[in-house]
Amino acid sequence: MASSDPHKLMAKADKLTKLSLTRWSADWKSATQLYEQAANGYRVAKDYEKAKIAFEKASKGQEMLSSPWDAAKHMESAAGLAKELSNWTEVADFYRKASELYTECGRPQPASDALAKGARVLEDAAPDNAIQLYTDACEILEEDGKEQMAFDLYRAAANIYIKLEKYTDAAAFLLRLGLAADKCNATNSQCKAYLSAIVVYLYGHDFKQAEKCYNDCSQIDAFLRSDQSRCASKLLSAYTEGDVEEIKRVAKSSTISNLDNTIIKLARKLPTGEVTALKTEDGKDEELLDENDLT
């Protein structure tokens, strides 16, 4: 049947949107309906490239009809098809555009969700893009005062950084999660985030930063009185004393076991560096201080 042929539907729709001597204004309402029908037809036929283009045009049509919500939905459909085609650049672009359209509707939650969907798709194929999408998704929720809805997004971004062996960046995102949890009075999540950041620093051979992180977080009373704080203190003390067995014992504690799987895996591999050197270096520092002691 001619009316169900997606090629003919597209051709007809394109004609309705082009101005000519006989058509002075585009008929976006009729054209958009045709694009939508064509998009579904192509998708059923598994012609994903053409379906993607049709959904893009349908989205544009809904924009022209001042319906950003429907435009966003079509843009998400186009993003899903770009995923099927492994076109990662378009995946990021389409989900970002969908997010902008949801924002236009005054709907921050779907706007953030669209970016998060794109990030999840891109985690393996384009991790840097995924991190950026997660970051922007978090910022939308932060601006809307819905930090609690972003907890999983902070964790997801931190996990990608860990995979990329960017431990300082991973810890920074975990600390950001801790700050968001503090605003939500989610004390348990806050304390877990701080301990997780300390584990990540230790795994990345940055004892000084782990120690600084612990000291900074200990300014917060809720953390100072927590099991996570006591666990971090034992871990850092074991490092200072060069006690490998104690590090391993603390890393297997129930407090560590209650963290996210990615962090548990890192903790179970501690210590990753030469901890006896830490004690020696501290001793050398003390000797230098004594030599220069003018009092």
Side-chain angles (χ1 to χ4, degrees), residues 95-108:
Y95 275 119
R96 193 171 287 286
K97 176 63 176 174
S99 176
E100 290 168 3
L101 289 163
Y102 285 128
T103 299
E104 198 178 312
C105 300
R107 300 291 295 276

Side-chain angles (χ1 to χ4, degrees), residues 25-46:
S25 62
D27 183 356
W28 280 105
K29 186 174 181 181
S30 299
T32 301
Q33 290 175 346
L34 293 171
Y35 284 135
E36 289 168 348
Q37 291 172 36
N40 288 323
Y42 282 131
R43 185 159 60 181
V44 169
K46 294 191 178 347

Side-chain angles (χ1 to χ4, degrees), residues 148-290:
Q148 192 148 9
M149 305 297 290
F151 285 7
D152 286 341
L153 306 183
Y154 295 119
R155 292 187 189 102
N159 286 347
I160 298 174
Y161 274 129
I162 287 169
K163 284 181 188 173
L164 296 174
E165 299 182 359
K166 294 182 176 180
Y167 302 116
T168 302
D169 292 322
F173 244 94
L174 290 166
L175 292 172
R176 192 167 164 181
L177 166 56
L179 181 62
D182 185 39
K183 290 180 181 177
C184 305
N185 295 316
T187 306
N188 193 41
S189 294
Q190 179 184 13
C191 295
K192 283 183 176 181
Y194 293 155
L195 175 57
S196 296
I198 291 164
V199 168
V200 169
Y201 280 130
L202 291 174
Y203 187 84
H205 310 300
D206 196 342
F207 176 81
K208 293 293 183 190
Q209 196 58 44
E211 197 171 43
K212 181 180 183 303
C213 181
Y214 173 75
N215 291 334
D216 289 346
C217 293
S218 293
Q219 302 301 310
I220 298 162
D221 193 49
F223 177 71
L224 187 61
R225 292 184 287 105
S226 69
D227 289 341
Q228 289 81 12
S229 172
R230 285 187 283 277
C231 179
S233 177
K234 288 176 185 176
L235 204 49
L236 292 168
S237 294
Y239 264 87
T240 304
E241 292 164 13
D243 191 338
V244 173
E245 290 309 311
E246 176 65 3
I247 292 169
K248 289 180 178 178
R249 191 190 68 76
V250 176
K252 290 177 182 174
S253 66
S254 59
T255 306
I256 295 284
S257 297
N258 284 324
L259 301 177
D260 292 336
N261 283 333
T262 304
I263 306 301
I264 294 170
K265 287 177 183 175
L266 297 188
R268 295 289 192 261
K269 293 175 184 174
L270 294 176
T272 51
E274 183 59 61
V275 294
T276 51
L278 187 66
K279 193 172 182 181
T280 307
E281 284 170 16
D282 286 346
K284 283 180 182 174
D285 288 343
E286 286 172 15
E287 284 172 21
L288 287 170
L289 285 171
D290 289 341

Side-chain angles (χ1 to χ4, degrees), residues 18-171:
K18 286 175 184 170
L19 305 182
S20 66
L21 291 172
T22 55
R23 180 178 289 106
W24 291 10
S25 62
D27 183 356
W28 280 105
K29 186 174 181 181
S30 299
T32 301
Q33 290 175 346
L34 293 171
Y35 284 135
E36 289 168 348
Q37 291 172 36
N40 288 323
Y42 282 131
R43 185 159 60 181
V44 169
K46 294 191 178 347
D47 190 339
Y48 296 139
E49 181 62 41
K50 287 190 171 65
K52 172 175 66 75
I53 292 167
F55 273 118
E56 279 187 85
K57 291 188 174 184
S59 178
K60 172 68 174 174
Q62 290 292 358
E63 270 196 270
M64 298 301 288
L65 296 170
S66 301
S67 182
W69 178 268
D70 291 319
K73 288 291 183 187
H74 289 328
M75 196 52 72
E76 285 200 73
S77 295
L81 292 160
K83 173 194 170 186
E84 293 296 329
L85 295 162
S86 300
N87 191 329
W88 309 121
T89 301
E90 286 191 339
V91 167
D93 291 345
F94 292 163
Y95 275 119
R96 193 171 287 286
K97 176 63 176 174
S99 176
E100 290 168 3
L101 289 163
Y102 285 128
T103 299
E104 198 178 312
C105 300
R107 300 291 295 276
Q109 184 69 58
S112 174
D113 288 345
L115 295 175
K117 284 178 195 172
R120 280 190 285 273
V121 171
L122 296 171
E123 280 192 11
D124 293 324
D128 289 332
N129 285 344
I131 286 168
Q132 189 57 58
L133 290 174
Y134 275 133
T135 302
D136 294 344
C138 289
E139 286 174 358
I140 289 172
L141 294 173
E142 287 167 356
E143 287 170 13
D144 196 42
K146 292 180 179 174
E147 284 91 352
Q148 192 148 9
M149 305 297 290
F151 285 7
D152 286 341
L153 306 183
Y154 295 119
R155 292 187 189 102
N159 286 347
I160 298 174
Y161 274 129
I162 287 169
K163 284 181 188 173
L164 296 174
E165 299 182 359
K166 294 182 176 180
Y167 302 116
T168 302
D169 292 322

